[in-house]
Amino acid sequence: MSATSKVLDIPLIVTEQYPKGLGSTISEIPIDHAALVEAKTKFSMMTPGVTSKLLDELKIKSVVLYGIESHVCVLQTCLDLLELDFDVHVLADGVSSMNYPEIDVALKRMAMCGAHVVSSESVMFQLAGDSQNPKFSAIRDLVKEHQQAARQNKLMFKDSNNRARI
């Protein structure tokens, strides 16, 4: 999704939870185009700097939210955004946790509180809007990359007994 924001010129805001101790964003996630990269210790990403960037500078009221840990930082960010009347779209396939069962619990809670739980592919096409969009071929390529990665990630494909399936 970070690459999608770059292709479509959508502002990207990145926070990193205590990077001195936990490390920075991994290099596989492109954040060189981010409007803001901010270290934090608060679990929610809604720090004064982020809040000001979203509300005062960018004047954004709709966000696509993804990251880790789904039941801590992502959840608390979602709740803070909803409290500020943001339209929140949480990527079900863009959140994770070291404790896998926490993911579904967090996604259900966010949905119950008013967030839209969506897939990355759905959001990519929604943001592109039309196959005539001049940037659509780049988005289509990102969708293909995402589909390939999803096939390799067995956790994304669970049966009703919570077993990985291919």
Side-chain angles (χ1 to χ4, degrees), residues 119-136:
S119 70
S120 295
E121 185 173 330
S122 174
V123 168
M124 288 179 196
F125 282 113
Q126 186 173 359
L127 291 171
D130 189 316
S131 63
Q132 297 301 309
N133 182 325
K135 298 179 180 182
F136 179 74

Side-chain angles (χ1 to χ4, degrees), residues 40-106:
K40 66 181 179 72
T41 56
K42 179 180 181 178
F43 295 122
S44 171
M45 75 180 287
M46 295 307 291
T47 63
V50 170
T51 302
S52 175
K53 189 75 157 175
L54 288 172
L55 292 173
D56 302 331
E57 188 177 327
L58 299 172
K59 301 191 184 319
I60 291 173
K61 289 303 284 178
S62 183
V63 300
V64 176
L65 183 61
Y66 55 99
I68 54 172
E69 292 276 307
S70 57
H71 62 295
V72 183
C73 296
V74 177
L75 173 64
Q76 290 185 34
T77 300
C78 177
L79 297 176
D80 285 350
L81 286 164
L82 291 169
E83 183 70 25
L84 292 169
D85 291 324
F86 279 84
D87 185 30
V88 181
H89 302 264
V90 181
L91 300 181
D93 55 343
V95 299
S96 192
S97 173
M98 292 190 310
N99 184 7
Y100 184 78
E102 294 284 1
I103 299 169
D104 286 339
V105 173

